[in-house]
Amino acid sequence: MAKNEMPLAELSKHLETLANNSLELWDVPNGSRARLINVSENSTYLVEGPDEFKSILRVHREDYHTERAIYCELEWSQALGEAGEVLTPGYMIGKDGKAVQSGIVDPLPGPRFMVMFEFARGHEPDESQDLKAPFEELGEIAARTHVHSISWKRPEPFERLTWDLDAIFGSDPTWGYWRDAPNVTPEISKLLQKLESTVVDRLTKFGKGQDRYGLIHADMRLANLLIEGDRTWLIDFDDCGWGWYLYDFATGISFIEDHPQIPELKSAWVKGYRKARPLPEAEESEIDSFVMLRRLALLAWIGSHIEAPEPQELAPRFADVTAELAEAYLSQFG
């Protein structure tokens, strides 16, 4: 994915102008303002107004999703909530009757798609505390989304991203090439090439049977869970698409794959998953391959999104730690 040539600070300034100028597209209270709370693929704003009004505005990254793909995301998220499988935040319809709006602000080229979500109250699980219980719940939530995705009659045409080997390692990878990431030395590149080859071989043999591969959330990190009392919301379906079901565990430990508690978290996730859907031991034994697939995808993501704060913060050590993880994986599976 091409990097934006405009400095992030300047881009953010223009996007904030767009966000606030666009509030009139929805029926929000007069005097509401949008404040940036997160930059990743998209820019996400907290909208606050009179009488404690709150909502979430997502301004989409240019050329990442088509309008149709965004509608497909919203339809699955809504269907999950309506089926009672998981709690998902609703979205607001614009004054023109459409859920997906678009807007233009100079000097940015082209329109940006936007979606206004209802505000889900709650807090993220605290990563400094024991995470076994949250991961057990995360596993059960993942299984419920998978059960639903298998039986759900999708609207046609259905357009979403794909998270398979070609999307990550192919000739036009969604997040770019891991080799282009910062600090990938020739020595590290050689090791990670062996890792890629091993993962490709194992997951090709694993296959894409309908019991293993389908529509997934694809970004099921703890940051995308909001806990409100005894209720847990699953948010941010922006990356949902086609992938292996076990890839959802790998996304759950994104950026913390080297955490010493990971083996316990994997066991907790599997325990939770089996509350809602069978998971054969033969599939469980391949989870580490999906972890490494995701890790290489994240390495590529850092390289192609280096203008953003999070990739910049992660970049200095990410390639080195990925190499350490690769050595451990290859000692077992290589």
Side-chain angles (χ1 to χ4, degrees), residues 87-105:
L87 286 172
T88 60
Y91 51 86
M92 297 173 61
I93 302 298
K95 292 178 180 178
D96 62 357
K98 297 180 180 179
V100 181
Q101 300 291 320
S102 64
I104 299 175
V105 63

Side-chain angles (χ1 to χ4, degrees), residues 136-199:
E136 184 174 332
E137 181 173 20
L138 191 62
E140 184 175 0
I141 288 173
R144 290 184 182 280
T145 66
H146 300 162
V147 169
H148 182 272
S149 76
I150 291 170
S151 61
W152 181 49
K153 185 176 181 179
R154 294 179 291 276
E156 296 293 343
F158 193 78
E159 182 181 337
R160 287 305 302 167
L161 294 169
T162 298
W163 300 106
D164 61 4
L165 296 172
D166 187 61
I168 295 174
F169 301 133
S171 60
D172 186 23
T174 301
W175 284 344
Y177 298 98
W178 58 258
R179 297 168 188 81
D180 296 335
N183 305 312
V184 176
T185 64
E187 181 181 8
I188 289 177
S189 181
K190 183 179 179 180
L191 175 63
L192 296 187
Q193 182 57 59
K194 183 178 180 182
L195 171 66
E196 177 185 319
S197 297
T198 303
V199 168

